[in-house]
Amino acid sequence: MKLAFTLGALPLLLPYAGNTQVLATPSQVITPVIQQAPSHLETLRERARKAKTNIENVRKNDLTSIIYDTASSIKAPLFKVPAAKRILGTTGQIVISEITTPDGFLAVEREWIFIGNKEDSRYFQSSNFTHIDAKFLKALDRWRYIVKVKATVDELSLIRDNLPAELQSQVGRNHIYLSQQKQHVSETLVHKEGNASPTCQLPLRVGMVDSDIVEKHPMLSHLTIKQMTFSPEQTENGSEHGTAVASLLAQKLPLNSRLFNASVFYTRSSVSQGATLSSLIDGLDYLASQSVETINMSLAGPDNPVLAKTMTYLTHQGIQIIAAVGNEGPASLPLYPAAYRETIGVSAVDESGGIYRWANQGDYVDFAALGVSIPAAHPNGATIRQSGTSMAAPQVAATYACYLQRQKSRMAALTLLQKNAIDAGEPGRDSVYGFGILH
């Protein structure tokens, strides 16, 4: 259970008065940001768990609840990860060789990621490893290494044997994460001006990790957009997903807000985009260096110790990640980064409040927002309807950023999200809608 806070805990929700953090790196100083209060979060999570237990005890002998629980236990079939592919570059060469890992996820063949100090690279100085790339992550104050291993040692246990115990949680496969947009309706809509949220008047700084954005779309005209590409060189990047997500953020961002985009996706097919873990880490470091306090991630994939560490680093800098919970169906295993305890996980509903049929479900769902057949920008200048948890997450991200600006406290902003969510499904927080639907 994560991000579990209740209105009953309001006495604990005084604005956090801890010191702001200044992160010094060899070449820059990051603007101070609001710190997290982990002990407050843990207290609120525990209270929510207890409140849920009390509700279940009251309902356990109720015939209606028994019928509901039986019906809700019938899950839709689990989607499978798409087949691994060889991604070709612009001149026909193989740029990415995808594989399906033993646990059923996609990764770059025999590539592993390690984050640590510069001197830690000595643990990969053997005939079993080939260094592909090393990069200093300025905002995260860590080195990121990509290494290629021999086929005979392409297992986590064998690679960890080369590392001391304190570093074994800092290495993981170069997994591939997929965009969470299932399909779109080709209906072309008329764009209406004046969609910026009236609840937030001052400009905001918001980050997103996605594909390229076509900046000249009318829905984005009131924003200043800055983007940088981190996808592998010579791959096709695409712009449909990123432009759509940016437009949904834009609907709730006031005039002159700044949107920073880390473009990480490469095109796998006409309906699928992938991002390597190395691209994600580099992109998140870039966004952290831009002094954003909110980052939207409309993508999902496997748990990975390197990604988990990165989420922790960002949280300690006061940066909140909002992520799509995934479109793999109610029976899916948890997907990440939404399932990390530091992350706000967002599901999707239709206009009537019905849950998106392919949305993931679990105790990592925090909120739901409109994400079924929702108008969004298309790179060709049109506005078309899109569906998926990818489309719901940016609306929660923009709302959180607005509340954070107003409240000046992460806990107060989170509590305001919870207060304004419309309870749906089972009473209280549940695995389908989380705390409820945000409009």
PDB file of all heavy atoms in Angstrom, residues 215-250:
ATOM      1  N   GLU A 215       5.504  20.892 -31.025  1.00  0.00           N
ATOM      2  CA  GLU A 215       5.261  22.047 -30.166  1.00  0.00           C
ATOM      3  C   GLU A 215       4.258  23.050 -30.739  1.00  0.00           C
ATOM      4  O   GLU A 215       3.694  23.852 -29.995  1.00  0.00           O
ATOM      5  CB  GLU A 215       6.588  22.760 -29.880  1.00  0.00           C
ATOM      6  CG  GLU A 215       7.624  21.863 -29.214  1.00  0.00           C
ATOM      7  CD  GLU A 215       8.943  22.581 -28.987  1.00  0.00           C
ATOM      8  OE1 GLU A 215       8.923  23.830 -28.847  1.00  0.00           O
ATOM      9  OE2 GLU A 215       9.988  21.903 -28.967  1.00  0.00           O
ATOM     10  N   LYS A 216       4.005  23.025 -32.037  1.00  0.00           N
ATOM     11  CA  LYS A 216       3.187  24.061 -32.662  1.00  0.00           C
ATOM     12  C   LYS A 216       1.693  23.759 -32.642  1.00  0.00           C
ATOM     13  O   LYS A 216       0.904  24.492 -33.230  1.00  0.00           O
ATOM     14  CB  LYS A 216       3.655  24.286 -34.102  1.00  0.00           C
ATOM     15  CG  LYS A 216       5.061  24.876 -34.189  1.00  0.00           C
ATOM     16  CD  LYS A 216       5.451  25.159 -35.625  1.00  0.00           C
ATOM     17  CE  LYS A 216       6.854  25.767 -35.691  1.00  0.00           C
ATOM     18  NZ  LYS A 216       7.263  26.079 -37.084  1.00  0.00           N
ATOM     19  N   HIS A 217       1.297  22.684 -31.989  1.00  0.00           N
ATOM     20  CA  HIS A 217      -0.131  22.370 -31.934  1.00  0.00           C
ATOM     21  C   HIS A 217      -0.880  23.460 -31.163  1.00  0.00           C
ATOM     22  O   HIS A 217      -0.374  23.975 -30.159  1.00  0.00           O
ATOM     23  CB  HIS A 217      -0.359  21.016 -31.258  1.00  0.00           C
ATOM     24  CG  HIS A 217      -1.739  20.471 -31.476  1.00  0.00           C
ATOM     25  ND1 HIS A 217      -2.839  20.930 -30.776  1.00  0.00           N
ATOM     26  CD2 HIS A 217      -2.195  19.510 -32.330  1.00  0.00           C
ATOM     27  CE1 HIS A 217      -3.910  20.265 -31.181  1.00  0.00           C
ATOM     28  NE2 HIS A 217      -3.557  19.405 -32.120  1.00  0.00           N
ATOM     29  N   PRO A 218      -2.084  23.841 -31.610  1.00  0.00           N
ATOM     30  CA  PRO A 218      -2.841  24.908 -30.924  1.00  0.00           C
ATOM     31  C   PRO A 218      -3.084  24.655 -29.442  1.00  0.00           C
ATOM     32  O   PRO A 218      -3.127  25.592 -28.647  1.00  0.00           O
ATOM     33  CB  PRO A 218      -4.167  24.937 -31.704  1.00  0.00           C
ATOM     34  CG  PRO A 218      -3.838  24.409 -33.048  1.00  0.00           C
ATOM     35  CD  PRO A 218      -2.769  23.386 -32.845  1.00  0.00           C
ATOM     36  N   MET A 219      -3.219  23.387 -29.045  1.00  0.00           N
ATOM     37  CA  MET A 219      -3.472  23.088 -27.641  1.00  0.00           C
ATOM     38  C   MET A 219      -2.272  23.383 -26.747  1.00  0.00           C
ATOM     39  O   MET A 219      -2.387  23.420 -25.530  1.00  0.00           O
ATOM     40  CB  MET A 219      -3.894  21.620 -27.475  1.00  0.00           C
ATOM     41  CG  MET A 219      -5.224  21.275 -28.108  1.00  0.00           C
ATOM     42  SD  MET A 219      -5.692  19.530 -27.877  1.00  0.00           S
ATOM     43  CE  MET A 219      -6.136  19.530 -26.141  1.00  0.00           C
ATOM     44  N   LEU A 220      -1.113  23.603 -27.361  1.00  0.00           N
ATOM     45  CA  LEU A 220       0.119  23.847 -26.607  1.00  0.00           C
ATOM     46  C   LEU A 220       0.597  25.292 -26.716  1.00  0.00           C
ATOM     47  O   LEU A 220       1.673  25.627 -26.210  1.00  0.00           O
ATOM     48  CB  LEU A 220       1.223  22.907 -27.111  1.00  0.00           C
ATOM     49  CG  LEU A 220       0.891  21.406 -27.090  1.00  0.00           C
ATOM     50  CD1 LEU A 220       1.997  20.618 -27.758  1.00  0.00           C
ATOM     51  CD2 LEU A 220       0.675  20.916 -25.660  1.00  0.00           C
ATOM     52  N   SER A 221      -0.191  26.134 -27.326  1.00  0.00           N
ATOM     53  CA  SER A 221       0.269  27.483 -27.664  1.00  0.00           C
ATOM     54  C   SER A 221       0.534  28.359 -26.448  1.00  0.00           C
ATOM     55  O   SER A 221       1.304  29.329 -26.546  1.00  0.00           O
ATOM     56  CB  SER A 221      -0.759  28.166 -28.572  1.00  0.00           C
ATOM     57  OG  SER A 221      -2.016  28.270 -27.925  1.00  0.00           O
ATOM     58  N   HIS A 222      -0.054  28.051 -25.298  1.00  0.00           N
ATOM     59  CA  HIS A 222       0.129  28.902 -24.117  1.00  0.00           C
ATOM     60  C   HIS A 222       1.303  28.455 -23.257  1.00  0.00           C
ATOM     61  O   HIS A 222       1.562  29.029 -22.203  1.00  0.00           O
ATOM     62  CB  HIS A 222      -1.152  28.924 -23.276  1.00  0.00           C
ATOM     63  CG  HIS A 222      -1.534  27.588 -22.704  1.00  0.00           C
ATOM     64  ND1 HIS A 222      -1.999  26.552 -23.480  1.00  0.00           N
ATOM     65  CD2 HIS A 222      -1.522  27.123 -21.435  1.00  0.00           C
ATOM     66  CE1 HIS A 222      -2.263  25.506 -22.718  1.00  0.00           C
ATOM     67  NE2 HIS A 222      -1.971  25.825 -21.469  1.00  0.00           N
ATOM     68  N   LEU A 223       2.046  27.423 -23.711  1.00  0.00           N
ATOM     69  CA  LEU A 223       3.164  26.892 -22.945  1.00  0.00           C
ATOM     70  C   LEU A 223       4.502  27.204 -23.611  1.00  0.00           C
ATOM     71  O   LEU A 223       4.584  27.388 -24.819  1.00  0.00           O
ATOM     72  CB  LEU A 223       3.051  25.375 -22.796  1.00  0.00           C
ATOM     73  CG  LEU A 223       1.797  24.795 -22.149  1.00  0.00           C
ATOM     74  CD1 LEU A 223       1.919  23.280 -22.092  1.00  0.00           C
ATOM     75  CD2 LEU A 223       1.574  25.388 -20.766  1.00  0.00           C
ATOM     76  N   THR A 224       5.551  27.227 -22.783  1.00  0.00           N
ATOM     77  CA  THR A 224       6.917  27.205 -23.295  1.00  0.00           C
ATOM     78  C   THR A 224       7.439  25.788 -23.113  1.00  0.00           C
ATOM     79  O   THR A 224       7.472  25.281 -21.981  1.00  0.00           O
ATOM     80  CB  THR A 224       7.809  28.192 -22.533  1.00  0.00           C
ATOM     81  OG1 THR A 224       7.316  29.517 -22.718  1.00  0.00           O
ATOM     82  CG2 THR A 224       9.250  28.114 -23.034  1.00  0.00           C
ATOM     83  N   ILE A 225       7.822  25.148 -24.215  1.00  0.00           N
ATOM     84  CA  ILE A 225       8.231  23.745 -24.169  1.00  0.00           C
ATOM     85  C   ILE A 225       9.722  23.635 -24.459  1.00  0.00           C
ATOM     86  O   ILE A 225      10.230  24.221 -25.408  1.00  0.00           O
ATOM     87  CB  ILE A 225       7.434  22.909 -25.189  1.00  0.00           C
ATOM     88  CG1 ILE A 225       5.944  22.936 -24.828  1.00  0.00           C
ATOM     89  CG2 ILE A 225       7.939  21.473 -25.231  1.00  0.00           C
ATOM     90  CD1 ILE A 225       5.069  22.237 -25.847  1.00  0.00           C
ATOM     91  N   LYS A 226      10.394  22.889 -23.612  1.00  0.00           N
ATOM     92  CA  LYS A 226      11.810  22.591 -23.815  1.00  0.00           C
ATOM     93  C   LYS A 226      11.955  21.074 -23.767  1.00  0.00           C
ATOM     94  O   LYS A 226      11.511  20.432 -22.818  1.00  0.00           O
ATOM     95  CB  LYS A 226      12.672  23.242 -22.729  1.00  0.00           C
ATOM     96  CG  LYS A 226      14.166  22.987 -22.899  1.00  0.00           C
ATOM     97  CD  LYS A 226      14.968  23.669 -21.801  1.00  0.00           C
ATOM     98  CE  LYS A 226      16.462  23.382 -21.958  1.00  0.00           C
ATOM     99  NZ  LYS A 226      17.268  24.024 -20.876  1.00  0.00           N
ATOM    100  N   GLN A 227      12.568  20.503 -24.781  1.00  0.00           N
ATOM    101  CA  GLN A 227      12.711  19.050 -24.812  1.00  0.00           C
ATOM    102  C   GLN A 227      14.093  18.636 -25.278  1.00  0.00           C
ATOM    103  O   GLN A 227      14.760  19.350 -26.031  1.00  0.00           O
ATOM    104  CB  GLN A 227      11.626  18.409 -25.664  1.00  0.00           C
ATOM    105  CG  GLN A 227      11.463  18.920 -27.077  1.00  0.00           C
ATOM    106  CD  GLN A 227      10.274  18.267 -27.773  1.00  0.00           C
ATOM    107  OE1 GLN A 227       9.923  17.116 -27.521  1.00  0.00           O
ATOM    108  NE2 GLN A 227       9.638  19.008 -28.660  1.00  0.00           N
ATOM    109  N   MET A 228      14.505  17.465 -24.807  1.00  0.00           N
ATOM    110  CA  MET A 228      15.801  16.907 -25.169  1.00  0.00           C
ATOM    111  C   MET A 228      15.611  15.416 -25.435  1.00  0.00           C
ATOM    112  O   MET A 228      14.828  14.752 -24.753  1.00  0.00           O
ATOM    113  CB  MET A 228      16.822  17.140 -24.054  1.00  0.00           C
ATOM    114  CG  MET A 228      18.239  16.705 -24.402  1.00  0.00           C
ATOM    115  SD  MET A 228      19.457  17.235 -23.159  1.00  0.00           S
ATOM    116  CE  MET A 228      19.454  19.007 -23.455  1.00  0.00           C
ATOM    117  N   THR A 229      16.323  14.889 -26.420  1.00  0.00           N
ATOM    118  CA  THR A 229      16.162  13.497 -26.829  1.00  0.00           C
ATOM    119  C   THR A 229      17.182  12.598 -26.144  1.00  0.00           C
ATOM    120  O   THR A 229      18.378  12.903 -26.116  1.00  0.00           O
ATOM    121  CB  THR A 229      16.304  13.373 -28.353  1.00  0.00           C
ATOM    122  OG1 THR A 229      15.293  14.154 -28.983  1.00  0.00           O
ATOM    123  CG2 THR A 229      16.159  11.922 -28.798  1.00  0.00           C
ATOM    124  N   PHE A 230      16.706  11.459 -25.617  1.00  0.00           N
ATOM    125  CA  PHE A 230      17.563  10.486 -24.945  1.00  0.00           C
ATOM    126  C   PHE A 230      17.389   9.079 -25.513  1.00  0.00           C
ATOM    127  O   PHE A 230      18.003   8.142 -25.008  1.00  0.00           O
ATOM    128  CB  PHE A 230      17.266  10.477 -23.442  1.00  0.00           C
ATOM    129  CG  PHE A 230      17.555  11.786 -22.771  1.00  0.00           C
ATOM    130  CD1 PHE A 230      16.567  12.741 -22.632  1.00  0.00           C
ATOM    131  CD2 PHE A 230      18.829  12.086 -22.309  1.00  0.00           C
ATOM    132  CE1 PHE A 230      16.823  13.967 -22.036  1.00  0.00           C
ATOM    133  CE2 PHE A 230      19.101  13.305 -21.719  1.00  0.00           C
ATOM    134  CZ  PHE A 230      18.099  14.255 -21.576  1.00  0.00           C
ATOM    135  N   SER A 231      16.550   8.926 -26.520  1.00  0.00           N
ATOM    136  CA  SER A 231      16.388   7.611 -27.136  1.00  0.00           C
ATOM    137  C   SER A 231      17.649   7.259 -27.916  1.00  0.00           C
ATOM    138  O   SER A 231      18.439   8.142 -28.276  1.00  0.00           O
ATOM    139  CB  SER A 231      15.170   7.620 -28.074  1.00  0.00           C
ATOM    140  OG  SER A 231      15.279   8.670 -29.018  1.00  0.00           O
ATOM    141  N   PRO A 232      17.889   5.963 -28.180  1.00  0.00           N
ATOM    142  CA  PRO A 232      19.098   5.559 -28.911  1.00  0.00           C
ATOM    143  C   PRO A 232      19.218   6.268 -30.249  1.00  0.00           C
ATOM    144  O   PRO A 232      18.213   6.490 -30.944  1.00  0.00           O
ATOM    145  CB  PRO A 232      18.902   4.048 -29.089  1.00  0.00           C
ATOM    146  CG  PRO A 232      18.022   3.652 -27.953  1.00  0.00           C
ATOM    147  CD  PRO A 232      17.091   4.811 -27.752  1.00  0.00           C
ATOM    148  N   GLU A 233      20.425   6.633 -30.609  1.00  0.00           N
ATOM    149  CA  GLU A 233      20.660   7.333 -31.861  1.00  0.00           C
ATOM    150  C   GLU A 233      20.220   6.493 -33.057  1.00  0.00           C
ATOM    151  O   GLU A 233      20.308   5.266 -33.042  1.00  0.00           O
ATOM    152  CB  GLU A 233      22.142   7.688 -32.004  1.00  0.00           C
ATOM    153  CG  GLU A 233      22.626   8.733 -31.006  1.00  0.00           C
ATOM    154  CD  GLU A 233      24.061   9.125 -31.252  1.00  0.00           C
ATOM    155  OE1 GLU A 233      24.635   8.660 -32.261  1.00  0.00           O
ATOM    156  OE2 GLU A 233      24.612   9.891 -30.440  1.00  0.00           O
ATOM    157  N   GLN A 234      19.735   7.171 -34.057  1.00  0.00           N
ATOM    158  CA  GLN A 234      19.336   6.588 -35.341  1.00  0.00           C
ATOM    159  C   GLN A 234      18.065   5.753 -35.248  1.00  0.00           C
ATOM    160  O   GLN A 234      17.737   5.016 -36.181  1.00  0.00           O
ATOM    161  CB  GLN A 234      20.473   5.752 -35.951  1.00  0.00           C
ATOM    162  CG  GLN A 234      21.724   6.588 -36.253  1.00  0.00           C
ATOM    163  CD  GLN A 234      22.781   5.792 -36.979  1.00  0.00           C
ATOM    164  OE1 GLN A 234      22.792   4.573 -36.970  1.00  0.00           O
ATOM    165  NE2 GLN A 234      23.694   6.506 -37.634  1.00  0.00           N
ATOM    166  N   THR A 235      17.338   5.841 -34.147  1.00  0.00           N
ATOM    167  CA  THR A 235      16.036   5.180 -34.080  1.00  0.00           C
ATOM    168  C   THR A 235      14.943   6.204 -34.383  1.00  0.00           C
ATOM    169  O   THR A 235      15.126   7.399 -34.175  1.00  0.00           O
ATOM    170  CB  THR A 235      15.771   4.580 -32.688  1.00  0.00           C
ATOM    171  OG1 THR A 235      15.863   5.614 -31.690  1.00  0.00           O
ATOM    172  CG2 THR A 235      16.757   3.475 -32.371  1.00  0.00           C
ATOM    173  N   GLU A 236      13.805   5.714 -34.876  1.00  0.00           N
ATOM    174  CA  GLU A 236      12.666   6.586 -35.089  1.00  0.00           C
ATOM    175  C   GLU A 236      12.011   6.868 -33.740  1.00  0.00           C
ATOM    176  O   GLU A 236      11.772   5.955 -32.953  1.00  0.00           O
ATOM    177  CB  GLU A 236      11.657   5.926 -36.034  1.00  0.00           C
ATOM    178  CG  GLU A 236      12.173   5.749 -37.450  1.00  0.00           C
ATOM    179  CD  GLU A 236      11.099   5.194 -38.372  1.00  0.00           C
ATOM    180  OE1 GLU A 236       9.915   5.204 -37.967  1.00  0.00           O
ATOM    181  OE2 GLU A 236      11.443   4.754 -39.469  1.00  0.00           O
ATOM    182  N   ASN A 237      11.733   8.145 -33.481  1.00  0.00           N
ATOM    183  CA  ASN A 237      11.226   8.527 -32.163  1.00  0.00           C
ATOM    184  C   ASN A 237       9.709   8.637 -32.114  1.00  0.00           C
ATOM    185  O   ASN A 237       9.085   8.308 -31.112  1.00  0.00           O
ATOM    186  CB  ASN A 237      11.848   9.857 -31.718  1.00  0.00           C
ATOM    187  CG  ASN A 237      13.352   9.763 -31.592  1.00  0.00           C
ATOM    188  OD1 ASN A 237      13.892   8.679 -31.400  1.00  0.00           O
ATOM    189  ND2 ASN A 237      14.037  10.887 -31.713  1.00  0.00           N
ATOM    190  N   GLY A 238       9.090   9.121 -33.177  1.00  0.00           N
ATOM    191  CA  GLY A 238       7.653   9.321 -33.159  1.00  0.00           C
ATOM    192  C   GLY A 238       7.263  10.509 -32.285  1.00  0.00           C
ATOM    193  O   GLY A 238       8.055  10.984 -31.466  1.00  0.00           O
ATOM    194  N   SER A 239       6.048  10.983 -32.446  1.00  0.00           N
ATOM    195  CA  SER A 239       5.612  12.152 -31.683  1.00  0.00           C
ATOM    196  C   SER A 239       4.140  12.099 -31.288  1.00  0.00           C
ATOM    197  O   SER A 239       3.658  12.995 -30.610  1.00  0.00           O
ATOM    198  CB  SER A 239       5.864  13.437 -32.487  1.00  0.00           C
ATOM    199  OG  SER A 239       5.206  13.385 -33.745  1.00  0.00           O
ATOM    200  N   GLU A 240       3.419  11.045 -31.664  1.00  0.00           N
ATOM    201  CA  GLU A 240       1.985  11.002 -31.378  1.00  0.00           C
ATOM    202  C   GLU A 240       1.718  10.902 -29.883  1.00  0.00           C
ATOM    203  O   GLU A 240       0.889  11.640 -29.334  1.00  0.00           O
ATOM    204  CB  GLU A 240       1.335   9.824 -32.106  1.00  0.00           C
ATOM    205  CG  GLU A 240      -0.173   9.757 -31.889  1.00  0.00           C
ATOM    206  CD  GLU A 240      -0.853   8.691 -32.729  1.00  0.00           C
ATOM    207  OE1 GLU A 240      -0.261   8.270 -33.738  1.00  0.00           O
ATOM    208  OE2 GLU A 240      -1.968   8.276 -32.371  1.00  0.00           O
ATOM    209  N   HIS A 241       2.403   9.992 -29.207  1.00  0.00           N
ATOM    210  CA  HIS A 241       2.139   9.781 -27.782  1.00  0.00           C
ATOM    211  C   HIS A 241       2.531  11.005 -26.958  1.00  0.00           C
ATOM    212  O   HIS A 241       1.759  11.498 -26.126  1.00  0.00           O
ATOM    213  CB  HIS A 241       2.892   8.545 -27.289  1.00  0.00           C
ATOM    214  CG  HIS A 241       2.465   8.067 -25.940  1.00  0.00           C
ATOM    215  ND1 HIS A 241       3.055   8.496 -24.774  1.00  0.00           N
ATOM    216  CD2 HIS A 241       1.497   7.192 -25.568  1.00  0.00           C
ATOM    217  CE1 HIS A 241       2.484   7.902 -23.744  1.00  0.00           C
ATOM    218  NE2 HIS A 241       1.531   7.105 -24.194  1.00  0.00           N
ATOM    219  N   GLY A 242       3.719  11.525 -27.179  1.00  0.00           N
ATOM    220  CA  GLY A 242       4.182  12.677 -26.421  1.00  0.00           C
ATOM    221  C   GLY A 242       3.335  13.911 -26.644  1.00  0.00           C
ATOM    222  O   GLY A 242       3.053  14.669 -25.704  1.00  0.00           O
ATOM    223  N   THR A 243       2.915  14.140 -27.891  1.00  0.00           N
ATOM    224  CA  THR A 243       2.076  15.307 -28.182  1.00  0.00           C
ATOM    225  C   THR A 243       0.729  15.190 -27.478  1.00  0.00           C
ATOM    226  O   THR A 243       0.206  16.176 -26.935  1.00  0.00           O
ATOM    227  CB  THR A 243       1.873  15.445 -29.705  1.00  0.00           C
ATOM    228  OG1 THR A 243       3.155  15.546 -30.345  1.00  0.00           O
ATOM    229  CG2 THR A 243       1.055  16.675 -30.045  1.00  0.00           C
ATOM    230  N   ALA A 244       0.165  13.987 -27.468  1.00  0.00           N
ATOM    231  CA  ALA A 244      -1.120  13.780 -26.787  1.00  0.00           C
ATOM    232  C   ALA A 244      -0.993  14.016 -25.284  1.00  0.00           C
ATOM    233  O   ALA A 244      -1.802  14.727 -24.675  1.00  0.00           O
ATOM    234  CB  ALA A 244      -1.635  12.367 -27.059  1.00  0.00           C
ATOM    235  N   VAL A 245       0.024  13.429 -24.668  1.00  0.00           N
ATOM    236  CA  VAL A 245       0.223  13.594 -23.222  1.00  0.00           C
ATOM    237  C   VAL A 245       0.481  15.057 -22.870  1.00  0.00           C
ATOM    238  O   VAL A 245      -0.065  15.588 -21.902  1.00  0.00           O
ATOM    239  CB  VAL A 245       1.374  12.692 -22.738  1.00  0.00           C
ATOM    240  CG1 VAL A 245       1.784  13.043 -21.309  1.00  0.00           C
ATOM    241  CG2 VAL A 245       0.974  11.219 -22.834  1.00  0.00           C
ATOM    242  N   ALA A 246       1.303  15.722 -23.674  1.00  0.00           N
ATOM    243  CA  ALA A 246       1.593  17.139 -23.421  1.00  0.00           C
ATOM    244  C   ALA A 246       0.326  17.980 -23.484  1.00  0.00           C
ATOM    245  O   ALA A 246       0.128  18.904 -22.686  1.00  0.00           O
ATOM    246  CB  ALA A 246       2.618  17.654 -24.433  1.00  0.00           C
ATOM    247  N   SER A 247      -0.564  17.659 -24.425  1.00  0.00           N
ATOM    248  CA  SER A 247      -1.790  18.450 -24.553  1.00  0.00           C
ATOM    249  C   SER A 247      -2.709  18.269 -23.354  1.00  0.00           C
ATOM    250  O   SER A 247      -3.423  19.202 -22.966  1.00  0.00           O
ATOM    251  CB  SER A 247      -2.525  18.080 -25.845  1.00  0.00           C
ATOM    252  OG  SER A 247      -3.097  16.777 -25.767  1.00  0.00           O
ATOM    253  N   LEU A 248      -2.689  17.092 -22.741  1.00  0.00           N
ATOM    254  CA  LEU A 248      -3.529  16.857 -21.572  1.00  0.00           C
ATOM    255  C   LEU A 248      -2.946  17.534 -20.334  1.00  0.00           C
ATOM    256  O   LEU A 248      -3.686  17.993 -19.458  1.00  0.00           O
ATOM    257  CB  LEU A 248      -3.710  15.357 -21.359  1.00  0.00           C
ATOM    258  CG  LEU A 248      -4.487  14.682 -22.499  1.00  0.00           C
ATOM    259  CD1 LEU A 248      -4.451  13.168 -22.363  1.00  0.00           C
ATOM    260  CD2 LEU A 248      -5.922  15.176 -22.544  1.00  0.00           C
ATOM    261  N   LEU A 249      -1.630  17.590 -20.254  1.00  0.00           N
ATOM    262  CA  LEU A 249      -1.017  18.431 -19.221  1.00  0.00           C
ATOM    263  C   LEU A 249      -1.376  19.888 -19.458  1.00  0.00           C
ATOM    264  O   LEU A 249      -1.738  20.618 -18.525  1.00  0.00           O
ATOM    265  CB  LEU A 249       0.509  18.268 -19.252  1.00  0.00           C
ATOM    266  CG  LEU A 249       1.119  17.036 -18.593  1.00  0.00           C
ATOM    267  CD1 LEU A 249       2.569  16.880 -19.017  1.00  0.00           C
ATOM    268  CD2 LEU A 249       1.024  17.121 -17.071  1.00  0.00           C
ATOM    269  N   ALA A 250      -1.302  20.316 -20.716  1.00  0.00           N
ATOM    270  CA  ALA A 250      -1.519  21.719 -21.063  1.00  0.00           C
ATOM    271  C   ALA A 250      -2.912  22.203 -20.690  1.00  0.00           C
ATOM    272  O   ALA A 250      -3.095  23.377 -20.347  1.00  0.00           O
ATOM    273  CB  ALA A 250      -1.281  21.933 -22.559  1.00  0.00           C
TER     274      ALA A 250
END
